[in-house]
Amino acid sequence: MAEPLLEFRDVRAGYGDAVVLDGVSLVLPANGSLALLGRNGVGKTTLLLTAMGFVRLMRGSIFLDGKDISKLAPHKRARLGLGWVPQERDIFPSLSVEENLTVAARPGRWDVGAVYGLFPRLKERRTNMGNQLSGGEQQMLTIARTLMTNPSVLLLDEPLEGLAPIIVEELTAAVKKMAEDEGIALVLVEQHAQVALGLTKDAVIIERGEIMHRAPSADLLNDSGTLDRYLGLKLGGG
Ligand SMILES: Nc1ncnc2c1ncn2[C@@H]1O[C@H](COP(=O)(O)OP(=O)(O)O)[C@@H](O)[C@H]1O
Ligand SMILES: [Mg+2]
């Protein structure tokens, strides 16, 4: 089996004394893509924040490319290859689209040209200032900036949340390309389970801070009982 790229081993984490995640173990292989599903408040964002080092790790460990990163500061984890895309858009409003990209750049195959290939809309907007973009375009730029750091793993926190349908379509296509054609390893937190399952190879469902179910995404997509039980998702058809 391929070496895991990102691995959680028996992780307990939370805020202050409050335990939010407990006994969480998961493996993301190189070229893997993992959907992280669960109702509101179950700990999905906390899991990504724990990977980045923003949340207190109380037990267990986290490995990136075989290296124990559990005690490293967030910026060191980023430098080692964790590319975090927060739920809030994170761009420089008074820099142009292209400047937003170039200030984030680190050497690797993802340069401005490659990123524009994935996000043609950003190329059209290259000279616009960050604050002239729509919310959806800012979200695209947030992802594109993270890609410019040439991460080995992308952690995406509800990237489609609250976006207009046309942008959702473009972003979905870009994520699909990243995962399937470019082989970028990614963890995708998403409320829209069906969309997330269509974009990823594997999926886990979290409930109250624990992983309750794991399956290949294609299998889970057809498992209406499990989707209903943990996500309250009623799929039509039967
Ligand atoms: N900064 C914080 N301090 C204390 N508790 C928090 C904080 N952020 C989140 N929580 C709690 O942790 C739990 C999981 O939250 P979160 O990871 O944001 O869930 P999700 O992303 O799945 O909606 C919730 O009960 C939430 O209230
Ligand atoms: Mg969240």
Side-chain angles (χ1 to χ4, degrees), residues 13-40:
Y15 307 92
D17 290 333
V19 173
V20 172
L21 298 176
D22 208 7
V24 169
S25 294
L26 57 82
V27 166
L28 179 73
N31 303 324
S33 51
L34 183 71
L36 210 60
L37 306 176
R39 289 184 163 99
N40 239 340

Side-chain angles (χ1 to χ4, degrees), residues 145-218:
R145 285 193 55 197
T146 306
L147 212 47
M148 290 290 293
T149 69
N150 280 283
S152 56
V153 182
L154 263 185
L155 307 173
L156 299 160
D157 199 349
E158 302 205 36
L160 307 177
E161 196 52 34
L163 303 185
I166 176 72
I167 297 277
V168 167
E169 230 171 81
E170 289 179 28
L171 254 184
T172 304
V175 172
K176 200 176 177 71
K177 263 192 200 158
M178 288 192 275
E180 290 180 8
D181 305 344
E182 308 289 348
I184 297 177
L186 57 88
V187 179
L188 175 63
V189 171
E190 193 41 69
Q191 282 292 319
H192 307 90
Q194 282 171 289
V195 174
L197 293 172
L199 293 173
T200 50
K201 292 182 190 137
D202 294 289
V204 298
I205 299 179
I206 302 183
E207 194 171 70
R208 276 181 260 102
E210 289 181 52
I211 294 180
M212 307 303 284
H213 190 85
R214 336 170 170 250
S217 298

Side-chain angles (χ1 to χ4, degrees), residues 69-150:
I69 60 167
S70 312
K71 294 196 169 65
L72 297 184
H75 72 276
K76 290 196 174 144
R77 302 188 197 201
R79 205 181 301 147
L80 284 174
L82 283 186
W84 176 50
V85 181
Q87 199 165 0
E88 309 74 36
R89 283 135 212 167
D90 181 23
I91 60 163
F92 294 114
S94 55
L95 294 184
S96 71
V97 165
E98 190 144 317
E99 287 164 344
N100 264 282
L101 294 174
T102 50
V103 294
R106 283 209 304 251
R109 57 190 270 250
W110 291 102
D111 54 17
V112 170
V115 163
Y116 282 157
L118 205 54
F119 297 100
R121 184 185 283 262
L122 293 181
K123 186 176 185 184
E124 290 166 23
R125 296 266 192 274
R126 63 204 293 173
T127 58
N128 286 123
M129 295 297 133
N131 60 13
Q132 295 174 313
L133 303 179
S134 72
E137 289 164 351
Q138 292 184 16
Q139 180 67 280
M140 270 184 190
L141 183 54
T142 303
I143 297 174
R145 285 193 55 197
T146 306
L147 212 47
M148 290 290 293
T149 69
N150 280 283

